[in-house]
Amino acid sequence: MLAFELALQTASLSRPLSRTEQQVLGIAAFAREMHDGGYAECFTNASRVYAGLWVEMLFALGCEQAARITRGTLGVLRVPLTPEALAERMATADAALLALLERSDERYAALEVELAAPLLGWIAARRAEVNC
């Protein structure tokens, strides 16, 4: 996943990315952030720009339970899925919200979600739409 992420980030410097390419970047960023620190990190770091794509992509990759957990977690934030709104919400997060996010992290981790193989298959089925 990292190779696709880096290639697409480099490509984005010289051209606009297609929706499919943005979806690849979004799910790669989600996987990295979930591995490194969980939902709070997803909503705080720059990867939050892709928050609106995560649930759709998790369902597309066949990760239904992860998609449902993520949809519920996004819902508890009660803000639009824009980078600015997410950053502001996390900057003012109280202990109760952080506890909810931590519980979501635990539920997600218990699934032992593997995103790399499904993502590679998804990309292969759309290879004409991913130029890197």
Side-chain angles (χ1 to χ4, degrees):
M1 276 195 296
L2 181 60
F4 280 104
E5 188 175 12
L6 293 174
L8 289 171
Q9 286 174 345
T10 301
S12 73
L13 299 174
S14 61
R15 65 172 175 82
L17 297 181
S18 70
R19 173 143 171 90
T20 302
E21 291 169 329
Q22 291 174 11
Q23 290 170 312
V24 171
L25 272 180
I27 205 65
F30 175 80
R32 181 176 24 80
E33 299 289 13
M34 290 304 292
H35 180 266
D36 292 346
Y39 285 106
E41 191 158 316
C42 286
F43 304 145
T44 303
N45 291 343
S47 61
R48 70 185 180 270
V49 71
Y50 301 109
L53 300 173
W54 293 335
V55 172
E56 170 192 350
M57 281 302 296
L58 288 166
F59 276 119
L61 297 176
C63 302
E64 289 86 5
Q65 288 181 301
R68 287 184 186 94
I69 292 168
T70 301
R71 182 174 52 205
T73 304
L74 288 165
V76 301
L77 297 175
R78 300 181 191 267
V79 297
L81 299 182
T82 65
E84 298 79 17
L86 290 168
E88 184 176 326
R89 181 65 178 111
M90 292 308 296
T92 60
D94 59 10
L97 176 61
L98 295 175
L100 284 171
L101 295 179
E102 189 171 319
R103 259 183 290 183
S104 292
D105 290 342
E106 292 167 1
R107 291 176 56 217
Y108 182 89
L111 297 176
E112 297 182 8
V113 176
E114 170 54 47
L115 293 175
L119 180 60
L120 291 176
W122 191 87
I123 292 168
R126 293 156 184 81
R127 73 184 97 206
E129 302 169 43
V130 180
N131 299 311
C132 59

